[in-house]
Amino acid sequence: MIIEVLVELGNRNMNKTFDYLVPTSLESKIKIGIRVQVPFGKQQLEGFVLNIKKATSLEVELKEIITILDEEVILNEELLKLGKYIMNATLCTLISAYQVMLPKALKAKHKVSIQKKWESYITLSTTYDPYCKRNANQTQIISLLKTVGRMNKKELETISSSSVKTLLKHKVIIENKEEVYRRKNQTEILTKYPLTSLQKQIVEKVLEKRGKDQVFLLHGVTGSGKTEVYMELVEKTLKEGKESIVLVPEISLTEQIVARFQKRFSDDIAILHSRLSDGEKYDEWRKIARGEVKIVIGARSAIFAPLKNIGLLIIDEEHTTSYKQESTPKYHAIDIAKWRSNYHKCPLILGSATPTLESYARAKKGIYYLLEMKERVHQKALPEVEIVDMNQAMKTCKGHFSHLLTNKIQESLEKKEQVILLLNRRGYSSFVSCQQCGYVEKCPKCDITLTYHKSSGMLRCHYCGYATNQREFCPECSEKSMTNLGLGTEKIEEEIKQLFTTAKVIRMDFDTTSKKGAHEKIITSFQKQEYDILLGTQMIAKGLDFANVTLVGVINADTSLNIPDFRSSEYTYQLLSQVAGRSGRGEKKGNVIIQTFNQDHYAIQYAKNHDYEGFYQKEMSIRRELGYPPYYYLTTIKILSKNYDDAKNHSGKVFHYLEKNLTSTIILGPSIASVFKINNVYRFQIILKYKQEEKLTMILNNIIEHYKANSKVKIDIVFDPVHI
Ligand code: ADP
Ligand code: ZN
């Protein structure tokens, strides 16, 4: 028997497999889609079996595989095909497309050793002598086992570990090792609401398209009851014996939604997200592959869950940029979901209060079926939003709190209601600069301003991790005038403590959530009202549902308006609407205060009025004028090199090649990328804008091929980038 094996070989060999012989003793265990270990030159590599055949066309003598790594298939027929789609759609290698679909434990990598977890269980031997004399503990153990049949060894040992030992030695009881899953299910039960008539209608509309690959856009304001609709549809799908995948933005940010699903579908659900350990992920993946669960909820990569009979796909908060993977292969989870919806002939629901312009435009054109929920459940009012002009306010207030915001917080505290405060840090951070000459501390390896972290007193680069002490003297002008500028959550926390001396504040940001379980802890304690004020960055804007929160304050709405990206207004609108949506979700009415230096900006005005449609029309007219998505497709090509001249010269060459070969594409650049240098690598960028360009994939593939063997210059292509 001969097999074709795909191994990982760095950049080379797009999709070439290698032939190997299978020793007769292993033949019966070979299946397409399992991993094998093979000799490769002087190394031993792991690879996937992609084909089984009788003969080879090669002249050379074939080597034998070393061993088989899996009993069960890892890449089933669907995933094998999906990998080819990803390769063609993102121009990556086939092996990297397969690797990205799998948890670490199942990738074809060497030296990763993540084991199944085993636990010992004890049963009574059928041959022991019941009349033999035993002590009290031994008797208790035996009688327990008689009633329950089988028990975890660790539990039994709490009675007496020496007795367990003795009984084992005398073969009265028997020990068996069994495979167990690391993550335990929730046991709490969630009460189900009777759906409103609008929710029922929406469920019906989706069910009408069962068995078809229809894409729906569920546009529902915050608190309109989208999650209840998802759960109802998942339950209906489950009753038909079919499976569902529900994607949520990084799970730690949407803890509460996951908990709701878990409580409603406890034993039927698997969870896949980045905060699970590798062992836990491995377990969850096997549960799914073995057909032991019918629902998968998770972040981006859960879209690859190896379910075999999918009846429903849901992507919540579909506008979230983290659904696009930023490293190779640069796939978008929505594209993968569309492919699988087509493969399984099942509906796909994209849900959001603030859909991307691209999605909403498709829905308006009828490519997606538009479902709208314009009001909150039971006509609860959307919160009232007030804007504070900080140009005026700054003249009279100290620090970053306007009088209006200060008063509103005070009122809420007096009423024992809770407050959420957002510090918009997108494209902004607390940095150190010289008050004399304006010198700014930057990372020596990346073209990025260093961020000051008060807790450690260090300056850090958020790209490469470089860290250094803060200095007093400016290296440019030698004055002793280096000062912290900009806003950090720590700084705001200090101001809050000074302004509201009795209030209990909890902070949620990158620093306070780095430990496993930290998110959950913060959210739970805020939920239990152990704190009055939750202060956080973007990560508090999404998905949270606290009934006692009646005030949301945005300290600074502007920073996201200033990022150098054509989507900056869209991001700002999304962020403000999402965070405003955290207010007034319970019985009491909600208020929102937005502080800004740009009070007339349309993104802020439309967010104030909860007017998505208005924002959409306005932003579309700008996009049309400037030729941006959704009117044009975008693709970025980055030319990277440690040598500045190489990066510059080759970006010119790539530009000319594109200019010569593309006929209906606007080619912008080459220019320096928005971050010019990362980890000592210089970055140039070319942007392509087009409506239709037949030859594009071929031309870009040629460029990739051309640079494949070049060790000095690297090419990085992203179709439909979410950040420019
Ligand atoms: P969304 O996902 O659109 O933000 P949710 O599904 O979280 O909305 O619903 C908002 C709030 O309304 C939640 O607290 C939820 O429990 C409640 N809710 C949703 N549907 C109903 C219903 N049919 N009856 C009563 N309460 C509901
Ligand atoms: Zn750096």
Side-chain angles (χ1 to χ4, degrees), residues 121-163:
Y121 285 86
I122 302 286
T123 47
L124 269 181
S125 155
T126 47
T127 55
Y128 80 101
D129 175 6
Y131 304 108
C132 186
K133 211 169 140 35
R134 322 212 180 264
N135 69 26
N137 283 336
Q138 295 176 355
T139 314
Q140 193 191 343
I141 289 170
I142 293 172
S143 86
L144 244 179
L145 286 170
K146 266 189 191 156
T147 35
V148 296
R150 162 183 167 281
M151 268 189 84
N152 191 305
K153 188 179 176 193
K154 283 209 191 91
E155 265 174 65
L156 268 189
E157 281 172 344
T158 59
I159 300 172
S160 156
S161 62
S162 63
S163 297

Side-chain angles (χ1 to χ4, degrees), residues 238-285:
L238 185 66
K239 283 198 178 129
E240 284 175 20
K242 293 202 172 183
E243 301 154 347
S244 308
I245 299 180
V246 182
L247 284 202
V248 290
E250 283 149 72
I251 291 223
S252 39
L253 317 185
T254 40
E255 207 58 55
Q256 289 181 317
I257 293 182
V258 177
R260 269 160 86 180
F261 269 87
Q262 243 186 306
K263 285 175 192 164
R264 181 139 158 197
F265 302 107
S266 62
D267 287 336
D268 291 313
I269 201 160
I271 298 182
L272 286 173
H273 66 86
S274 56
R275 279 175 185 260
L276 294 183
S277 69
D278 289 328
E280 286 171 325
K281 282 182 202 158
Y282 179 35
D283 291 351
E284 297 297 298
W285 205 91

Side-chain angles (χ1 to χ4, degrees), residues 193-197 199 220-231 257 260 316-317 353 373 376-378 380 543-545 581-582 585-586:
Y193 296 104
L195 294 188
T196 64
S197 63
Q199 284 173 323
V221 297
T222 54
S224 58
K226 296 185 290 297
T227 311
E228 289 295 324
V229 168
Y230 301 151
M231 289 198 287
I257 293 182
R260 269 160 86 180
D316 188 29
E317 312 274 9
M373 300 169 89
R376 284 189 164 177
V377 175
H378 299 312
K380 209 174 291 163
L544 299 178
D545 188 11
R582 303 309 113 216
R585 293 173 75 90

Side-chain angles (χ1 to χ4, degrees), residues 443-448 450 461-466 677-679:
C443 173
K445 291 192 275 178
C446 311
D447 179 39
I448 276 289
L450 293 174
C461 171
H462 279 191
Y463 277 66
C464 74
Y466 170 86
K677 195 168 83 162
I678 295 181
N679 225 341

